[in-house]
């Protein structure tokens, strides 16, 4: 059984994230979507952790992507374990006896992995996803439309521009 972690801020989730999740599910038995509470390389997320989790669930439901209940289930799982450093999430998985994992990163930040806190000590293989044009930052700036599944949530909570 092969497991990959797709970590990120997802502020907000985009169609590019959805495509990446679908692509990962074609190559791995289990895909764990791991929402960071705070990316140490970026400023504080514009949206709170629970609301970002909610928007991911809304989007995956809209896309008819079924979520599993456990990290060890085949398919796609959304973690509600907020972490700051990727190594903390890996240690969280290891505590649950999930030891053989890959970590998926976009091609735009693959070279930075070697600079992640204590990453080399973990010896986790990296799986590089080709970055698409969609961008969470463009959505936050109002330069790109959000995923249709989360438009109402964005309006209700007056998120982004």
């Amino acid at each position: 059984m092969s497991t990959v972690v797709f970590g990120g801020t997802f502020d907000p989730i985009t169609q590019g994230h959805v495509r990446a999740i679908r692509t990962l599910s074609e190559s791995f038995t289990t895909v764990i979507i791991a929402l960071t509470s705070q990316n140490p390389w970026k400023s504080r997320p514009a949206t709170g952790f629970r609301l970002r989790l909610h928007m991911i669930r809304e989007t995956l439901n809209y896309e008819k992507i079924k979520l599993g209940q456990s990290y060890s289930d085949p398919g796609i799982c959304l973690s509600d374990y907020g972490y700051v450093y990727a190594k903390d999430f890996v240690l969280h998985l290891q505590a649950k006896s999930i030891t053989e994992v890959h970590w998926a990163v976009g091609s735009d930040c693959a070279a930075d992995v070697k600079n992640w806190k204590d990453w080399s000590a973990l010896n986790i293989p990296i799986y590089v996803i080709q970055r698409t044009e969609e961008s969470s930052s463009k959505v936050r700036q109002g330069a790109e439309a959000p995923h249709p599944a989360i438009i109402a949530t964005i309006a209700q909570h007056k998120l982004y521009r």
Side-chain angles (χ1 to χ4, degrees):
M1 209 163 133
S2 59
T3 300
V4 65
V5 176
F6 183 35
T9 309
F10 300 94
D11 189 20
I13 187 169
T14 66
Q15 193 61 40
H17 290 125
V18 173
R19 275 196 293 282
I21 291 164
R22 289 187 193 283
T23 298
L24 290 168
S25 70
E26 293 170 3
S27 300
F28 293 90
T29 306
T30 303
V31 177
I32 301 171
I33 304 167
L35 180 63
T36 181
S37 56
Q38 170 61 49
N39 182 327
W41 301 97
K42 296 180 179 178
S43 61
R44 187 151 208 74
T47 309
F49 183 80
R50 292 285 168 209
L51 192 50
R52 286 181 286 135
L53 271 175
H54 175 72
M55 289 192 291
I56 292 170
R57 282 190 188 96
E58 284 183 311
T59 301
L60 297 181
N61 184 50
Y62 179 94
E63 294 284 340
K64 298 182 177 21
I65 296 174
K66 187 176 186 288
L67 289 173
Q69 299 299 314
S70 162
Y71 296 146
S72 56
D73 290 343
I76 298 166
C77 175
L78 176 59
S79 174
D80 63 359
Y81 176 79
Y83 65 96
V84 174
Y85 298 103
K87 67 135 184 140
D88 295 332
F89 193 82
V90 172
L91 294 173
H92 167 71
L93 291 177
Q94 290 172 348
K96 296 185 175 301
S97 300
I98 299 170
T99 56
E100 294 184 33
V101 299
H102 293 75
W103 195 279
V105 297
S107 54
D108 58 323
C109 63
D112 295 331
V113 172
K114 66 182 180 297
N115 299 321
W116 291 4
K117 184 177 181 175
D118 301 330
W119 186 256
S120 60
L122 293 173
N123 196 28
I124 301 294
I126 297 297
Y127 187 88
V128 179
I129 304 167
Q130 188 59 42
R131 173 74 187 225
T132 62
E133 291 300 311
E134 293 90 359
S135 161
S136 295
S137 59
K138 288 180 183 175
V139 172
R140 288 192 306 272
Q141 296 162 1
E144 188 172 291
H147 190 284
I150 59 175
I151 290 172
T153 299
I154 289 171
Q156 176 187 359
H157 294 277
K158 298 177 174 69
L159 303 174
Y160 319 125
R161 292 188 187 179

